């Protein structure tokens, strides 16, 4: 599979899911937190509190890992066949930053919530007053790996992508 095809497959999956796990590490301490997100234009956007452990860790070490997965069924029985579980996942690595500038935070939060907009419940521009009480994080993704489940006797597919000029 080409780099572009792998990228498309993984970003499609990121855009379909709602919950991911953000992995952080500082001074040998690992911290993984479940969080909802938006994937947009090579970035993972998160909303959060204005202070806390996650933000402190990002400021200390902005290199992060973000994982999204989905299990599509029960494990294959262990009756002599290869052990398998029908699941799909994408792991992203990148550089996170806390969006401190208030005008940029309004834009980031508006973009974050746009994916949750529906015709019956449209989401408007996030006003400055709301952004003053809500934090935002942007992760610029520079590498992804993924897995798609085995199908019709074909083995699971492992995907890899690294940022180049086309997607960086």
């Amino acid at each position: 599979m080409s780099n572009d095809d792998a990228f498309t497959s993984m970003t499609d999956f990121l855009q379909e899911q709602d919950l991911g796990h953000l992995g952080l590490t500082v001074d040998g301490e690992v911290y993984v937190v479940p969080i909802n997100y938006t994937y947009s234009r090579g970035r993972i956007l998160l909303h959060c509190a204005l202070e806390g452990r996650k933000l402190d860790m990002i400021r200390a070490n902005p290199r992060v890992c973000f994982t999204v997965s989905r299990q599509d069924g029960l494990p294959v029985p262990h009756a002599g066949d290869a052990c398998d579980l029908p699941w799909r996942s994408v792991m992203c690595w990148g550089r996170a930053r806390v969006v401190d500038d208030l005008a940029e935070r309004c834009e980031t939060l508006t973009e974050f919530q746009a994916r949750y907009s529906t015709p019956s419940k449209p989401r408007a521009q996030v006003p400055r007053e709301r952004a003053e009480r809500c934090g935002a994080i942007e992760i610029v993704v520079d590498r992804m790996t993924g897995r798609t489940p085995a199908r019709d006797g074909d083995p699971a597919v492992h995907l890899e992508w690294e940022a180049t000029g086309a997607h960086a």
Side-chain angles (χ1 to χ4, degrees), residues 48-119:
C48 59
L50 292 172
E51 58 184 45
R53 184 178 194 179
K54 175 173 53 245
L55 301 178
D56 294 342
M57 291 182 83
I58 287 170
R59 286 184 175 113
N61 179 10
R63 290 297 302 169
V64 301
C65 182
F66 187 80
T67 300
V68 176
S69 61
R70 180 185 71 219
Q71 184 173 327
D72 293 325
L74 299 174
V76 173
H78 292 88
D81 295 329
C83 176
D84 194 24
L85 177 67
W87 58 275
R88 183 160 186 199
S89 66
V90 173
M91 293 182 68
C92 303
W93 289 266
R95 184 166 295 279
R97 72 180 181 89
V98 178
V99 181
D100 290 317
D101 178 79
L102 192 55
E104 184 183 6
R105 193 179 325 147
C106 285
E107 292 172 18
T108 301
L109 292 170
T110 297
E111 190 174 356
F112 168 84
Q113 75 170 6
R115 91 173 277 206
Y116 300 101
S117 186
T118 65

